[in-house]
Coordinates of all heavy atoms in Angstrom, one line a residue:
R26 N 0.8 5.5 -17.4 CA -0.1 6.7 -17.4 C 0.1 7.6 -16.2 O 0.6 7.2 -15.2 CB -1.6 6.1 -17.6 CG -1.8 5.5 -18.9 CD -3.2 5.1 -19.1 NE -3.5 4.3 -20.4 CZ -4.5 3.9 -20.7 NH1 -5.7 4.0 -20.0 NH2 -4.7 3.3 -21.9
T27 N -0.5 8.7 -16.2 CA -0.3 9.8 -15.3 C -0.4 9.3 -13.8 O -1.5 8.8 -13.4 CB -1.1 11.0 -15.5 OG1 -1.0 11.4 -16.9 CG2 -0.8 12.1 -14.6
F28 N 0.7 9.4 -13.1 CA 0.8 8.8 -11.8 C -0.3 9.6 -10.9 O -1.0 8.9 -10.0 CB 2.1 9.0 -11.2 CG 2.3 8.5 -9.8 CD1 2.0 7.2 -9.4 CD2 2.9 9.4 -8.8 CE1 2.3 6.8 -8.1 CE2 3.1 9.0 -7.6 CZ 2.8 7.7 -7.2
T29 N -0.4 10.8 -11.1 CA -1.3 11.7 -10.1 C -2.8 11.3 -10.4 O -3.6 11.9 -9.6 CB -1.0 13.1 -10.3 OG1 -1.1 13.5 -11.7 CG2 0.4 13.4 -9.8
N30 N -3.1 10.6 -11.4 CA -4.5 10.2 -11.5 C -5.0 9.2 -10.5 O -6.2 8.9 -10.4 CB -4.8 9.6 -12.9 CG -4.7 10.8 -14.0 OD1 -4.8 12.0 -13.7 ND2 -4.7 10.3 -15.3
Y31 N -4.0 8.5 -10.0 CA -4.3 7.3 -9.2 C -4.3 7.5 -7.7 O -3.3 8.1 -7.1 CB -3.4 6.2 -9.6 CG -3.5 5.8 -11.0 CD1 -2.8 6.4 -12.0 CD2 -4.4 4.6 -11.4 CE1 -3.0 6.0 -13.3 CE2 -4.6 4.3 -12.7 CZ -3.9 4.9 -13.6 OH -4.0 4.6 -15.0
I32 N -5.1 6.9 -7.0 CA -5.0 6.6 -5.5 C -4.0 5.4 -5.5 O -4.1 4.4 -6.2 CB -6.3 6.2 -4.9 CG1 -7.3 7.3 -5.1 CG2 -6.1 5.7 -3.5 CD1 -7.1 8.5 -4.3
M33 N -3.1 5.5 -4.6 CA -2.1 4.4 -4.4 C -2.3 3.7 -3.0 O -2.5 4.4 -2.1 CB -0.7 5.0 -4.5 CG -0.3 5.6 -5.9 SD -0.6 4.4 -7.2 CE 0.7 3.1 -6.8
S34 N -2.2 2.5 -3.0 CA -2.4 1.7 -1.8 C -1.4 0.5 -1.6 O -0.8 0.1 -2.6 CB -3.8 1.2 -1.8 OG -4.8 2.2 -1.8
W35 N -1.3 0.1 -0.4 CA -0.5 -1.1 -0.1 C -1.5 -2.1 0.5 O -2.4 -1.8 1.3 CB 0.6 -0.8 0.9 CG 1.7 -0.1 0.3 CD1 1.9 1.3 0.3 CD2 2.8 -0.6 -0.5 NE1 3.0 1.6 -0.3 CE2 3.7 0.5 -0.7 CE3 3.2 -1.8 -0.8 CZ2 4.8 0.3 -1.5 CZ3 4.4 -2.1 -1.5 CH2 5.2 -1.0 -1.9
F36 N -1.4 -3.3 0.1 CA -2.1 -4.4 0.7 C -1.1 -5.5 1.1 O 0.0 -5.4 0.6 CB -3.1 -5.1 -0.4 CG -4.3 -4.3 -0.7 CD1 -4.3 -3.1 -1.5 CD2 -5.6 -4.7 -0.2 CE1 -5.4 -2.4 -1.8 CE2 -6.7 -4.0 -0.5 CZ -6.6 -2.8 -1.2
R37 N -1.6 -6.4 1.8 CA -0.6 -7.6 2.1 C -1.4 -8.9 2.2 O -2.6 -8.9 2.5 CB 0.0 -7.4 3.5 CG -0.9 -7.3 4.7 CD -0.1 -6.9 6.0 NE -0.9 -6.7 7.2 CZ -0.5 -6.3 8.3 NH1 0.8 -5.9 8.4 NH2 -1.4 -6.2 9.3
Q38 N -0.7 -9.9 2.0 CA -1.4 -11.3 2.1 C -0.4 -12.3 2.7 O 0.7 -12.5 2.2 CB -1.8 -11.7 0.6 CG -2.6 -13.0 0.6 CD -3.2 -13.2 -0.7 OE1 -2.8 -12.7 -1.7 NE2 -4.3 -14.1 -0.7
A39 N -0.9 -12.8 3.8 CA -0.2 -13.9 4.5 C -0.6 -15.2 4.0 O -1.7 -15.4 3.5 CB -0.4 -13.7 6.0
P40 N 0.3 -16.2 4.1 CA -0.2 -17.5 3.7 C -1.5 -18.0 4.2 O -1.7 -17.9 5.5 CB 1.0 -18.5 4.1 CG 2.1 -17.5 4.3 CD 1.7 -16.2 4.6
G41 N -2.4 -18.5 3.5 CA -3.6 -19.0 3.9 C -4.7 -18.0 4.3 O -5.8 -18.3 4.7
K42 N -4.4 -16.7 4.1 CA -5.2 -15.6 4.4 C -5.6 -14.8 3.1 O -4.9 -14.8 2.1 CB -4.7 -14.7 5.5 CG -4.4 -15.4 6.8 CD -4.0 -14.4 7.8 CE -3.9 -15.1 9.2 NZ -3.4 -14.1 10.2
E43 N -6.7 -14.0 3.3 CA -7.1 -13.2 2.2 C -6.2 -11.9 2.1 O -5.6 -11.5 3.1 CB -8.6 -12.8 2.4 CG -9.5 -13.9 2.2 CD -11.0 -13.4 2.3 OE1 -11.2 -12.4 2.6 OE2 -11.9 -14.3 2.0
R44 N -6.2 -11.3 0.9 CA -5.4 -10.1 0.8 C -6.1 -9.0 1.6 O -7.3 -8.8 1.6 CB -5.5 -9.6 -0.7 CG -4.4 -8.6 -1.0 CD -4.2 -8.4 -2.4 NE -3.6 -9.7 -3.0 CZ -3.1 -9.7 -4.2 NH1 -3.1 -8.6 -5.1 NH2 -2.5 -10.9 -4.7
E45 N -5.4 -8.2 2.3 CA -5.8 -7.3 3.4 C -5.3 -5.9 3.0 O -4.1 -5.7 2.8 CB -5.2 -7.7 4.7 CG -5.6 -6.8 5.8 CD -4.8 -7.3 7.2 OE1 -3.6 -7.4 7.2 OE2 -5.5 -7.7 8.1
F46 N -6.2 -4.9 3.1 CA -5.8 -3.5 3.0 C -4.8 -3.1 4.1 O -5.0 -3.4 5.4 CB -7.1 -2.6 3.1 CG -6.7 -1.1 3.1 CD1 -6.4 -0.4 2.0 CD2 -6.9 -0.5 4.3 CE1 -6.1 0.9 2.0 CE2 -6.6 0.8 4.4 CZ -6.3 1.6 3.3
V47 N -3.8 -2.3 3.8 CA -2.8 -1.8 4.8 C -2.9 -0.3 4.8 O -3.1 0.3 5.9 CB -1.5 -2.1 4.4 CG1 -0.4 -1.5 5.4 CG2 -1.3 -3.7 4.5
A48 N -2.8 0.4 3.7 CA -2.8 1.8 3.7 C -3.1 2.4 2.3 O -2.8 1.7 1.3 CB -1.4 2.3 4.2
A49 N -3.5 3.7 2.2 CA -3.8 4.3 0.9 C -3.4 5.8 1.1 O -3.4 6.4 2.2 CB -5.3 4.2 0.6
V50 N -3.1 6.4 0.0 CA -2.7 7.8 0.0 C -3.4 8.5 -1.2 O -3.6 7.9 -2.4 CB -1.1 7.9 -0.1 CG1 -0.6 7.3 -1.4 CG2 -0.8 9.4 0.0
S51 N -3.9 9.7 -1.0 CA -4.7 10.4 -2.1 C -3.7 10.8 -3.2 O -2.5 10.7 -3.1 CB -5.3 11.6 -1.4 OG -4.3 12.5 -0.9
R52 N -4.4 11.4 -4.2 CA -3.5 11.8 -5.4 C -2.5 12.8 -5.1 O -1.5 12.7 -5.7 CB -4.5 12.3 -6.5 CG -5.5 11.2 -7.1 CD -6.5 11.9 -8.0 NE -7.4 10.9 -8.5 CZ -8.6 10.5 -7.8 NH1 -8.8 11.2 -6.6 NH2 -9.4 9.7 -8.3
T53 N -2.8 13.7 -4.2 CA -1.8 14.7 -3.9 C -0.9 14.4 -2.7 O 0.1 15.0 -2.5 CB -2.5 16.1 -3.4 OG1 -3.3 15.8 -2.3 CG2 -3.4 16.5 -4.6
G54 N -1.3 13.3 -2.0 CA -0.5 12.9 -0.8 C -1.0 13.6 0.5 O -0.5 13.3 1.5
S55 N -2.0 14.3 0.4 CA -2.5 15.1 1.5 C -3.3 14.4 2.5 O -3.4 14.7 3.6 CB -3.3 16.4 1.1 OG -4.3 16.0 0.3
S56 N -3.9 13.3 2.0 CA -4.7 12.5 2.9 C -4.2 11.0 2.8 O -3.9 10.5 1.8 CB -6.3 12.5 2.4 OG -6.7 13.7 2.4

Side-chain angles (χ1 to χ4, degrees):
R26 296 183 181 180
T27 308
F28 179 57
T29 52
N30 286 346
Y31 296 89
I32 300 296
M33 296 300 299
S34 296
W35 289 95
F36 285 77
R37 65 187 180 187
Q38 189 166 18
K42 295 189 176 181
E43 294 186 350
R44 194 166 295 191
E45 172 186 67
F46 170 77
V47 175
V50 61
S51 64
R52 294 174 185 85
T53 62
S55 60
S56 297

